[in-house]
Amino acid sequence: IHKKYLTITDKYYDASPSLIADYLKDIIKDKSVCDLGCRKGHLIKQFLKYTKDVSGVELEKEYYNICIKEGLSVVCADYYEMKLPDVDVYYIWAVNDIRQKILEQLKAQGLSGTIIMRLEPKEDVIFKEPVITLLFNKIEKIKMQVIEF
């Protein structure tokens, strides 16, 4: 995957899940996906347009309840303390130490596949894979790395 810039004109932050899902559609198409730390499930809803199935893991009970009310397949758990689901693609938006730890956990549990890691805008890259930069609102950058493991 190479660096690519996309621009959208929608000024609302909630549009970024749609932008991300549309950009990742070739990676997630007809695959099973798990959003680790899915919050209110915005990205799960967008992934559903392209995937075979989508699940989520959310620690915060308040956000978990929102997902359940929306009819989304989400478990309320700490993904560090659970057997992670065996899916084709994992998505996580987290800081460096968490991204490193979750990748190690996936490997330790004997899982394999693809992990898409969203980076904070000014965060250092810790993996060798290329950084995908999506330009949102002509101002905000969304940076991700796609890693096969």
Side-chain angles (χ1 to χ4, degrees):
I1 294 184
H2 302 284
K3 191 177 209 180
K4 183 173 181 178
Y5 292 89
L6 298 178
T7 303
I8 62 171
T9 57
D10 191 331
K11 65 182 181 176
Y12 299 104
Y13 180 78
D14 284 343
S16 65
S18 177
L19 172 68
I20 292 167
D22 291 346
Y23 183 79
L24 297 174
K25 67 183 173 192
D26 292 337
I27 297 170
I28 64 173
K29 186 169 176 49
D30 299 325
K31 295 189 177 164
S32 56
V33 177
C34 182
D35 184 357
L36 300 171
C38 63
R39 304 292 279 181
K40 296 179 182 178
H42 295 301
L43 195 54
I44 290 175
K45 291 179 200 173
Q46 296 301 317
F47 281 168
L48 283 168
K49 295 187 292 190
Y50 304 109
T51 61
K52 179 172 61 176
D53 60 84
V54 185
S55 60
V57 179
E58 178 52 52
L59 178 62
E60 300 293 330
K61 188 78 168 169
E62 173 187 350
Y63 295 126
Y64 164 78
N65 288 334
I66 292 169
C67 290
I68 295 305
K69 285 179 185 172
E70 294 284 328
L72 303 176
S73 176
V74 175
V75 296
C76 188
D78 182 342
Y79 48 70
Y80 288 135
E81 312 227 346
M82 66 179 285
K83 171 87 171 106
L84 294 168
D86 187 2
V87 297
D88 302 311
V89 180
Y90 300 86
Y91 178 91
I92 189 168
W93 180 4
V95 295
N96 279 337
D97 58 335
I98 294 173
R99 291 196 319 269
Q100 181 68 47
K101 188 174 177 181
I102 202 71
L103 187 56
E104 290 169 3
Q105 182 179 351
L106 288 164
K107 290 178 181 179
Q109 291 184 10
L111 299 169
S112 63
T114 302
I115 186 163
I116 301 165
M117 298 187 172
R118 182 166 170 180
L119 291 68
E120 292 295 329
K122 296 181 181 180
E123 195 167 21
D124 293 333
V125 175
I126 60 171
F127 301 107
K128 68 181 185 315
E129 284 75 11
V131 173
I132 301 164
T133 303
L134 307 179
L135 188 60
F136 174 69
N137 285 344
K138 301 180 182 177
I139 300 169
E140 181 187 2
K141 290 181 180 177
I142 298 171
K143 298 189 317 184
M144 293 179 286
Q145 285 185 293
V146 178
I147 299 169
E148 302 291 330
F149 65 97

